[in-house]
Amino acid sequence: MFSKWVVTNRFSGSRNLINVMLALAFSLLLTSGANLVFAQDQSQAPPPQDKTQDSGKPKQDVPPEAGGPTGNVGPYAIPKKNPEGAPAPPPPAAPAKVEGMPDYSIKVNVPLVNVDVMVSLKNNGQFVSGLTKENFRLYEDGAPQQISNFGVTKAPITAVLLVEFGATRYSFMLDALRASYAFANTLTKDDWIAVSYYDMNPHILVDFTQDKHAVYGALNELRIPGFSETDLFDTLYDTLDRLDRVQGKKYIILITTGFNSFSRTSLDQVMKKIKDTKDVTIFPISVGQIARIMGNAGNRGMGIHASELDYLQADNEMRTFAAMTGGRAYFPRFQAEYGEDFQDIGSDIRNQYSLAYHPTNSKLDGTYRKLKVQVVAPDGGPLKAKDQKGKEQKIEVVSRDGYTAKHTVD
């Protein structure tokens, strides 16, 4: 009994084991088939989009027409400039070409002419303020011009103090030094001044500086003159040539008797140099007037003699230099007048009306063209100006006589 049960149990156990193994194999087969079907379905369906960023905030969907990547890494998506399907803009229509006409372009260079104008009362030189563009009439070679730019300039001075200092009469040298110190006293901290003197040749004492003490120190060096010659034309030509390389508006304060000894440069050459130089105004200050009044100016020393006619010609030349450049010539007779004259010069320089226009004559022929500036009332009649006491006074208008037009080879 016992042995039969053992055999029977062994057989039953073996059959049960076989059934278990078969069931396990069938289960594995079903599982493999299911996984294969799921993998095929996954390859056909798009991957699910992650709706959250790393920070947990919802991520914006990128439109399909945008370029660039669509994941969390990489550069920003750049929209396409020309979406598919949008028609391209038509090319610009080319102008009709005239048969036989060459291809070329026209370039018009219209110059701009600047004119500084000083307007003051004739009796005391007081600046007339409050004028507008409508108060000015501007003419070039007699033709009226349209003023395009207008303003009042109150700029610092950029000037050369040019002093005659030769071995001539002591009164000439003394007057020149007095006038030079009087000018130095009118300087402000923003002014740029160079100091130069001349006898037989020009000599630069100090280059452009804003240090008033340097100007005083340069004038203190004028102790013992070297030569008795005073070659004004050579010196003025050299000074204009140097200033031509300085940008902006410049002034020459010329303290001189006006007498020219033995210059190699002629008056005509100096006049042409003044016409060709831009943005330079000359203010001549005549010295030695007392000696001339007393009749003691003839002997200039070292055998150099000047007649009254020579001095009258020198005065006329200084007036011409001033008129050509828009300045004024002064002829003080007493020491007290130097300070007043330089106060007027400072007022003239620091208070000017600036006009600009495009000339109707646009030819670049290098010719010299005459200028004329008039100041009128807004209705076109004569302008009435009053002084501080309320009395009507005549006005004086000072501007340069003309300018040299550019040449095509410039």
Side-chain angles (χ1 to χ4, degrees):
M1 217 34 216
F2 177 77
S3 59
K4 186 178 179 178
W5 179 84
V6 171
V7 174
T8 303
N9 287 343
R10 285 180 179 176
F11 180 75
S12 299
S14 299
R15 188 171 56 183
N16 292 335
L17 179 61
I18 292 172
N19 292 334
V20 170
M21 294 178 65
L22 289 174
L24 180 60
F26 183 73
S27 175
L28 291 174
L29 180 62
L30 292 178
T31 304
S32 302
N35 290 335
L36 180 61
V37 173
F38 181 75
Q40 292 177 354
D41 294 338
Q42 286 289 91
S43 63
Q44 296 177 0
Q49 295 183 358
D50 188 7
K51 296 295 181 178
T52 60
Q53 296 179 347
D54 296 339
S55 61
K57 296 181 180 179
K59 183 179 67 176
Q60 296 180 354
D61 293 334
V62 179
E65 65 271 11
T70 57
N72 289 334
V73 296
Y76 291 106
I78 303 175
K80 296 180 179 179
K81 296 182 179 179
N82 187 16
E84 295 180 1
K97 180 176 177 61
V98 180
E99 185 176 357
M101 180 177 291
D103 295 332
Y104 63 91
S105 60
I106 299 176
K107 181 180 179 181
V108 180
N109 184 13
V110 181
L112 182 68
V113 180
N114 296 292
V115 182
D116 291 331
V117 184
M118 297 180 294
V119 183
S120 59
L121 298 180
K122 199 167 185 178
N123 64 332
N124 58 8
Q126 181 182 352
F127 174 69
V128 179
S129 61
L131 300 181
T132 63
K133 184 171 66 174
E134 287 71 22
N135 294 116
F136 290 87
R137 301 289 184 269
L138 182 59
Y139 302 89
E140 179 184 296
D141 289 337
Q145 306 295 318
Q146 182 68 33
I147 300 174
S148 58
N149 300 336
F150 175 82
V152 181
T153 59
K154 290 187 177 181
I157 297 175
T158 301
V160 174
L161 178 61
L162 184 58
V163 185
E164 174 188 312
F165 191 75
T168 57
R169 293 183 60 86
Y170 177 75
S171 60
F172 295 164
M173 295 185 293
L174 184 61
D175 284 350
L177 289 176
R178 287 172 177 171
S180 301
Y181 281 109
F183 172 73
N185 290 333
T186 64
L187 300 178
T188 66
K189 63 178 182 179
D190 296 326
D191 295 333
W192 288 92
I193 304 298
V195 181
S196 179
Y197 80 94
Y198 74 96
D199 43 27
M200 191 174 181
N201 296 296
H203 308 274
I204 299 177
L205 294 177
V206 61
D207 209 337
F208 282 105
T209 180
Q210 290 181 306
D211 186 1
K212 186 184 294 188
H213 297 287
V215 176
Y216 288 136
L219 295 176
N220 288 336
E221 296 182 21
L222 299 179
R223 298 285 185 180
I224 302 176
F227 300 93
S228 58
E229 292 87 349
T230 52
D231 296 341
L232 173 61
F233 295 164
D234 287 346
T235 300
L236 188 57
Y237 193 100
D238 178 78
T239 305
L240 289 171
D241 190 58
R242 294 176 185 273
L243 284 179
D244 195 36
R245 290 167 282 182
V246 179
Q247 298 295 325
K249 184 68 178 177
K250 292 89 60 177
Y251 302 89
I252 296 178
I253 311 301
L254 178 60
I255 300 177
T256 177
T257 61
F259 181 79
N260 181 73
S261 298
F262 305 108
S263 290
R264 296 183 298 271
T265 305
S266 66
L267 177 61
D268 291 339
Q269 291 174 322
V270 173
M271 300 273 283
K272 186 178 184 305
K273 183 65 175 178
I274 292 175
K275 291 180 179 180
D276 295 339
T277 304
K278 302 176 183 178
D279 299 329
V280 175
T281 303
I282 302 176
F283 287 91
I285 307 294
S286 176
V287 296
Q289 290 292 320
I290 297 179
R292 290 173 54 181
I293 294 173
M294 300 299 294
N296 299 327
N299 183 15
R300 292 180 59 87
M302 302 294 292
I304 297 177
H305 182 79
S307 64
E308 182 63 24
L309 182 60
D310 293 329
Y311 285 113
L312 291 177
Q313 182 179 352
D315 293 346
N316 185 58
E317 291 169 355
M318 287 192 285
R319 291 189 181 96
T320 303
F321 296 158
M324 291 178 62
T325 59
R328 289 176 176 170
Y330 293 85
F331 302 91
R333 295 173 298 174
F334 307 102
Q335 180 180 352
E337 294 185 54
Y338 290 128
E340 298 176 359
D341 291 342
F342 282 116
Q343 290 292 337
D344 291 344
I345 292 176
S347 177
D348 291 341
I349 294 176
R350 293 183 172 90
N351 297 280
Q352 295 184 1
Y353 292 99
S354 179
L355 313 180
Y357 71 98
H358 297 283
T360 55
N361 182 7
S362 59
K363 295 180 181 180
L364 304 179
D365 52 6
T367 58
Y368 186 76
R369 302 175 184 179
K370 296 288 290 183
L371 294 176
K372 183 179 181 180
V373 180
Q374 294 179 345
V375 177
V376 298
D379 58 357
L383 180 66
K384 297 180 180 180
K386 297 182 179 181
D387 58 11
Q388 296 178 348
K389 297 181 179 180
K391 295 182 179 180
E392 291 188 2
Q393 301 290 342
K394 293 182 178 180
I395 63 172
E396 184 179 12
V397 181
V398 179
S399 64
R400 63 185 304 124
D401 282 349
Y403 74 100
T404 301
K406 291 184 177 180
H407 199 271
T408 52
V409 298
D410 288 347

